[in-house]
Amino acid sequence: MSMNSLPELDRDHLIHPVTSFRGHEAAGVRVLRSANGARITDTEGHELVDGFAGLWCVNTGYGQESIVEAATEQLRRLPYATGYFGLGSEPAIRLAASLAERTPGDLDHIYFTLGGSDAVDSALRFIRYFQQARGMPGKDQVISIEKGYHGSSTVGAGLTGLPAFHEGFGVPLDWQHKIPSPYPYRNPVGEDPQAIIDASTRALSDKIAELGAERVAAFFVEPIQGSGGVIVPPKGWLKAMAETCRAHDVLFVADEVITAFGRTGPLFASADEDVIPDLMTVAKGLTSGYVPMGAVFMREHVYATIADGAGSHTVGHGHTYSAHPVSAAVGLEVLRLYEDGLLENGRRMGTRLLDGLQGLAAHPLVGEVRGKGMLAAIELVTDKAARTPLPAAAEPGQRLFDRAWEEGVLLRAFPSGVLGFAPPLCCTEAEIDRIVEITARVLDRTLEDPDIRQAMA
Ligand code: PLP
């Protein structure tokens, strides 16, 4: 056995996602050891409330014994079954059927992936196939939104509208186009909901016209932009965007990797907005992070066009671990837990969280509190009237995270100076209150930061 400590071994060998490699070598790793409910414990014995459900994925909370049992039972009975050769497994078939029953409208056909990035990647491949199958191979351009996040595959990173995922990687590709984010707090048209909806639908129509509707295959959108800083569009925005797509014969794709499975309240955020996307991508809460799994849902007309277009030919898209039986067994149990009280608890706790965070609105650093359900954010500013973002010199992404960690809660701190909240749906009232109390302390400590003081002087 190596004599090196875990931090040393980590520094020397483990590459972390979305990280400054040299920065991480210098800062070192914090090693998590165990977790239960909404609590996580590190190897130094610190116990924290997980205010971000891991990476907005552990929606059921940790230590759910029935999930462990479902996985264990499936591991014993049949740990793997390929979907190739016309084979399948019971949990995968049952999960697909259970989900199809619950999705909006006729989003009834499901392809399982390993996570969100390959769900987006799969959706793009199926969309290409669909347009070819209906005799429109030139309809191959795709539109998405600035500040959107659609994963880290090469094509997904190009759909993503965050520069850090482009620089050095040769994306976006020439068929990937963007329109502005609806970002109510910083929208040039102001905060009036209808003005934002009109500006976004106009931007989408204009982009489609510029490219030519006969060339535009699909539009990808998150119902709430997550990694862009929890940007919540006005009620009715998603539906207006879907209708604009339909008017121009453009497929509407809802990327619900974060928003599905109770994160914003219901099982699917699209349903809450009265929208039936042509395709929908999910991951994260599908298995609550216990094991990897994502999925693409497609409506009947998309499936039928692909199926009829292919005829007896092979649709050449697949993964070894598609519809993995252990992940599917976990997915079935997770779904049962959501409907056995977790969605309901999440809705109540989400209201408590947003009310609590709204109570911090008068703090000198709080520009805006926003959110829906158990998905929320505080945008920090150094001047409320001018909405001045925190200075980069104050390293908001690192220092806000560190302060929250030291005070006892895991939060996401975006470099733009936004604090993100996405606690497990199982949180108790006391845990929600603790998240809010600690956030207040983080804000007070941030006010004492010399770089912030200088910016406010
Ligand atoms: N799409 C959205 C909206 C996401 O938020 C994410 C991940 O955060 C992805 C896709 C990519 O998912 P994964 O990290 O599981 O590949």
Side-chain angles (χ1 to χ4, degrees), residues 34-347:
S34 61
N36 197 33
R39 309 277 174 146
I40 51 175
T41 308
D42 70 13
T43 45
E44 318 230 296
H46 299 137
E47 192 191 76
L48 299 92
V49 177
D50 185 350
F52 208 68
L55 193 59
W56 22 40
C57 58
V58 189
N59 293 5
T60 62
Y62 303 88
Q64 294 278 9
E65 269 308 314
S66 64
I67 301 178
V68 177
E69 276 165 27
T72 309
E73 148 84 0
Q74 189 59 42
L75 276 166
R76 284 219 177 84
R77 191 204 313 231
L78 181 70
Y80 178 77
T82 180
Y84 284 57
F85 322 137
L87 301 178
S89 73
E90 179 172 350
I93 296 165
R94 290 207 184 282
L95 181 60
S98 302
L99 290 169
E101 226 175 84
R102 291 160 173 81
T103 48
D106 60 352
L107 269 171
D108 290 346
H109 301 273
I110 303 172
Y111 177 78
F112 287 112
T113 62
L114 286 71
S117 295
D118 55 345
V120 168
D121 194 21
S122 298
L124 278 162
R125 295 202 80 207
F126 288 132
I127 287 165
R128 276 285 179 119
Y129 203 102
F130 166 86
Q131 301 292 8
Q132 295 256 356
R134 65 199 280 244
M136 305 187 79
K139 210 165 161 62
D140 59 1
Q141 308 288 299
V142 175
I143 302 171
S144 56
I145 306 193
E146 284 162 14
K147 294 191 180 298
Y149 183 68
H150 301 288
S152 258
S153 73
T154 296
V155 289
L159 287 189
T160 291
L162 299 167
F165 293 86
H166 300 161
E167 283 155 15
F169 290 108
V171 289
L173 303 169
D174 60 8
W175 48 269
Q176 300 179 320
H177 310 275
K178 305 285 183 307
I179 59 168
S181 167
Y183 208 168
Y185 187 61
R186 297 189 182 281
N187 197 312
V189 302
E191 294 189 66
D192 174 61
Q194 195 55 47
I196 293 172
I197 292 171
D198 291 345
S200 287
T201 51
R202 202 175 322 112
L204 182 55
S205 303
D206 288 353
K207 182 58 80 178
I208 293 170
E210 176 196 323
L211 296 165
E214 71 290 353
R215 293 179 61 220
V216 181
F219 171 64
F220 275 69
V221 58
E222 297 160 90
I224 291 177
Q225 292 191 298
S227 302
V230 188
I231 294 168
V232 189
K235 185 87 187 157
W237 180 88
L238 197 73
K239 194 171 171 65
M241 297 306 267
E243 282 167 359
T244 305
C245 285
R246 223 136 276 161
H248 294 97
D249 184 30
V250 168
L251 291 173
F252 181 83
V253 189
D255 186 347
E256 291 228 26
V257 166
I258 291 174
T259 53
F261 301 109
R263 181 52 56 207
T264 70
L267 268 186
F268 302 103
S270 297
D272 220 23
E273 289 285 331
D274 195 20
V275 169
I276 307 171
D278 295 301
L279 294 100
M280 182 166 78
T281 48
V282 302
K284 297 192 188 275
L286 172 60
T287 47
S288 195
Y290 277 60
V291 286
M293 190 176 230
V296 187
F297 298 74
M298 48 179 107
R299 290 189 66 178
E300 179 62 32
H301 77 99
V302 177
Y303 174 81
T305 301
I306 292 175
D308 293 342
S312 58
H313 289 278
T314 297
V315 179
H317 181 69
H319 300 90
T320 301
Y321 298 128
S322 178
H324 195 284
V326 178
S327 301
V330 166
L332 277 170
E333 180 54 21
V334 163
L335 191 55
R336 194 191 66 74
L337 290 174
Y338 288 143
E339 293 181 340
D340 193 31
L342 267 179
L343 289 183
E344 180 49 35
N345 192 65
R347 278 193 282 267

